[in-house]
Amino acid sequence: MTTADAATRIGAKGSPVYERLVLKLSGESLSGPEHSGIHAATVQGIAHEVKEVQELGVQVAIMVGGGNIFRGTRQKELSIDRATGDYMGMLATVINGLALQDALEKSGCHTRLMSAIEMHQVAEPFIRRRATRHLEKERVVIFAAGTGNPYFSRDGNQGAGDPEGDAGGRRL
């Protein structure tokens, strides 16, 4: 079942069951058969499916991961400080978000990339009301950089160390 199929089940009134969809994409999902980096055809395919869902009137937000670029054994091998490694992972989510934004824009979707780490040249800062307004204006919103805090997991527990592009405590 594709993203479009799962997100757009038709309700009794002939419209999609859900008004808003939040899609979590791991960084690895962008690598396709390459198993690392960003695979152009894979990212373009994801963009095409997201566009199909959006064209049905569903508001789409995407949380993009960093592909665990710097974690665990690799981080320890290079003696990288845990917080530094977490920040490196957050930056990887921004790179992946930019790739996804580019593919979506080329497919005809208006997008906004929002980051928990300020970098005004490439992304807007995450502000919940602004994100909601972008969705209402039929823009695909891409979230990057997790919560902007090292040692913060996707389930909200301190110390679990999973900053890979999750909304963490963010709520739409």
Side-chain angles (χ1 to χ4, degrees):
M1 179 180 295
T2 67
T3 304
D5 294 336
T8 59
R9 292 191 317 236
I10 303 301
K13 295 182 181 179
S15 60
V17 173
Y18 301 105
E19 293 178 21
R20 183 174 295 159
L21 168 74
V22 180
L23 176 64
K24 168 59 170 96
L25 291 176
S26 69
E28 289 94 347
S29 70
L30 303 180
S31 66
E34 304 293 318
H35 302 295
S36 67
I38 298 168
H39 184 252
T42 299
V43 175
Q44 291 164 359
I46 292 168
H48 177 75
E49 285 192 35
V50 169
K51 182 178 180 177
E52 285 181 21
V53 172
Q54 188 188 39
E55 287 176 343
L56 292 170
V58 177
Q59 298 173 358
V60 181
I62 302 170
M63 294 183 297
V64 64
N68 292 323
I69 188 171
F70 234 79
R71 268 228 234 309
T73 306
R74 187 165 182 203
Q75 185 174 334
K76 290 177 185 174
E77 285 175 3
L78 295 173
S79 300
I80 299 287
D81 177 74
R82 167 72 186 275
T84 301
D86 282 356
Y87 281 120
M88 292 168 74
M90 288 180 238
L91 292 175
T93 71
V94 176
I95 292 168
N96 288 341
L98 286 166
L100 187 57
Q101 180 181 38
D102 185 70
L104 284 162
E105 292 279 341
K106 286 178 179 171
S107 74
C109 292
H110 295 286
T111 67
R112 291 296 185 270
L113 176 61
M114 301 187 96
S115 171
I117 297 175
E118 290 188 30
M119 48 183 73
H120 298 285
Q121 291 81 355
V122 297
E124 293 181 20
F126 173 76
I127 299 169
R128 185 186 62 81
R129 287 182 182 203
R130 183 180 284 178
T132 301
R133 186 68 182 128
H134 286 318
L135 291 169
E136 291 167 351
K137 288 184 173 186
E138 299 180 5
R139 297 175 182 138
V140 175
V141 179
I142 303 165
F143 299 117
T147 63
N149 301 296
Y151 302 105
F152 198 81
S153 74
R154 77 180 72 169
D155 61 7
N157 293 324
Q158 295 289 333
D162 190 8
E164 67 145 28
D166 302 279
R170 293 185 272 181
R171 184 177 172 94
L172 291 179

